[in-house]
């Protein structure tokens, strides 16, 4: 199997893993106006491939440059992801085209979901590697200011994130809630809880963001297929089995109201 045959499924699985964990990409969003750092041109960036005589190991995503030396085994000359070193190959992260014509920073014509995948990769590098600076060219000018191409990419990403956020709220609408010194906290669900009108009531559950101990109360469907799954062959438990949900202790798992004593 060639390099492309190895990388295409690897990138696809990694992107699916990042989204499947339930992370909200907005929480990962690396500001497009992040600190200026260094300004490199493409010829300068091309020297940073991690090979003998190279000054380091860099790659860029949407014009933002990262030092990936600590991932040398992946991005160095012998690594499976070496094709990304020393360049901005944003497009290849979603197309799987690792030819010279595919390893480019031109993201025009990509779908909104593909642009979101690139943003997820940008966020991944910002979380795991050192931000170096900006690549002068398609996304940043010689002063480090965003270009029209970057503003267009940013607009597409923000629009799809807004749409995704609206869908998430429809899937898990917030609970109604009230508190009193005598009875404690009460959470309950209705067909309009959280300001989201729907044809089901649901039951209260704690919704956790993966990797965090923080939670908030949401209303969860108890029947039908899980969100995003076709109607055939499902357990008829709605979203109850979502791994990011937890029942409230002391409350009946199928009650639409829950009272917690303080």
């Amino acid at each position: 199997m060639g390099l492309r045959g190895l990388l295409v499924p690897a990138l696809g699985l990694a992107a699916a893993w990042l989204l499947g964990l339930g992370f909200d990409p907005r929480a990962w969003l690396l500001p497009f106006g992040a600190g200026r750092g260094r300004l490199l041109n493409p010829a300068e960036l091309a020297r940073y491939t991690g090979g003998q005589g190279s000054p380091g190991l860099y790659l860029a995503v949407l014009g933002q440059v990262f030092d990936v030396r600590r991932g040398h085994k992946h991005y160095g000359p012998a690594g499976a992801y070496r094709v990304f070193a020393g360049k901005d190959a944003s497009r290849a992260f979603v197309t799987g085209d690792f030819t010279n014509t595919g390893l480019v920073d031109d993201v025009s014509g990509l779908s909104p979901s593909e642009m979101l995948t690139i943003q997820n990769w940008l966020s991944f590098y910002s979380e795991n590697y050192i931000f170096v600076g900006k690549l002068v060219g398609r996304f940043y000018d010689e002063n480090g200011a965003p270009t029209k191409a970057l503003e267009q990419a940013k607009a597409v990403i923000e629009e799809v994130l807004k749409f995704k956020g609206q869908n998430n709220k429809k899937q898990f609408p917030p609970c109604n809630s009230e508190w009193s010194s005598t009875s404690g906290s009460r959470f309950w669900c209705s067909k309009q809880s959280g300001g989201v009108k729907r044809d089901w009531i649901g039951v209260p559950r704690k919704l956790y963001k993966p990797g965090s101990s923080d939670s908030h109360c949401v209303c969860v469907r108890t029947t039908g297929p899980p969100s995003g799954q076709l109607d055939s062959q499902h357990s008829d438990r709605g979203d109850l089995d979502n791994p990011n949900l937890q029942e409230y202790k002391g409350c009946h798992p199928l009650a639409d109201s829950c009272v917690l004593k303080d």
Side-chain angles (χ1 to χ4, degrees):
M1 182 181 293
L3 178 60
R4 176 174 176 169
L6 291 171
L7 285 179
V8 171
L11 287 173
L13 287 171
W17 173 76
L18 290 169
L19 292 173
L21 284 176
F23 284 113
D24 182 351
R26 286 169 295 184
W28 289 0
L29 194 63
L30 180 66
F32 284 90
R36 169 169 167 166
R38 294 174 56 189
L39 292 178
L40 295 89
N41 61 44
E44 290 172 325
L45 179 60
R47 297 174 56 219
Y48 288 80
T49 59
Q52 186 174 5
S54 172
L57 183 56
Y58 294 172
L59 61 72
V61 182
L62 292 182
Q64 296 197 32
V65 182
F66 298 92
D67 185 334
V68 294
R69 280 179 297 178
R70 72 182 190 87
H72 190 276
K73 67 179 181 179
H74 303 296
Y75 302 102
Y81 298 96
R82 62 185 179 274
V83 294
F84 293 102
K87 62 176 70 71
D88 186 333
S90 296
R91 191 178 190 90
F93 277 100
V94 294
T95 64
D97 182 355
F98 304 117
T99 65
N100 288 335
T101 57
L103 290 163
V104 295
D105 59 359
D106 182 5
V107 296
S108 60
L110 294 180
S111 69
S113 62
E114 288 173 325
M115 290 301 299
L116 182 58
T117 297
I118 292 177
Q119 169 59 46
N120 289 339
W121 280 108
L122 176 60
S123 301
F124 167 79
Y125 287 111
S126 73
E127 289 286 324
N128 294 279
Y129 294 97
I130 298 172
F131 172 73
V132 173
K134 299 172 182 176
L135 180 63
V136 176
R138 185 178 300 276
F139 299 113
Y140 293 98
D141 65 20
E142 62 275 9
N143 298 312
T147 64
K148 183 177 180 180
L150 181 61
E151 295 297 343
Q152 291 174 337
K154 179 181 177 182
V156 172
I157 291 169
E158 290 182 343
E159 187 64 27
V160 71
L161 287 176
K162 179 181 178 181
F163 177 75
K164 188 177 180 67
Q166 291 172 342
N167 282 349
N168 285 343
K169 189 174 181 181
K170 290 179 181 179
Q171 179 182 354
F172 295 127
C175 303
N176 297 307
S177 63
E178 64 181 8
W179 177 88
S180 73
S181 57
T182 56
S183 59
S185 299
R186 176 182 174 233
F187 301 106
W188 75 98
C189 296
S190 67
K191 290 186 176 182
Q192 295 189 40
S193 62
V196 179
K197 293 184 179 181
R198 53 197 187 274
D199 58 5
W200 52 273
I201 295 175
V203 296
R205 289 290 190 274
K206 294 179 184 179
L207 177 63
Y208 287 89
K209 181 184 296 185
S212 173
S213 60
D214 295 330
S215 67
H216 64 280
C217 184
V218 297
C219 294
V220 180
R221 287 189 305 108
T222 61
T223 60
S227 297
Q229 182 174 314
L230 297 178
D231 288 343
S232 60
Q233 297 183 347
H234 59 80
S235 59
D236 196 33
R237 285 174 50 82
D239 290 314
L240 288 176
D241 297 320
N242 187 293
N244 299 320
L245 297 173
Q246 186 179 98
E247 296 179 8
Y248 282 96
K249 291 182 179 180
C251 297
H252 191 284
L254 295 180
D256 60 18
S257 180
C258 179
V259 177
L260 303 176
K261 296 293 185 179
D262 293 336

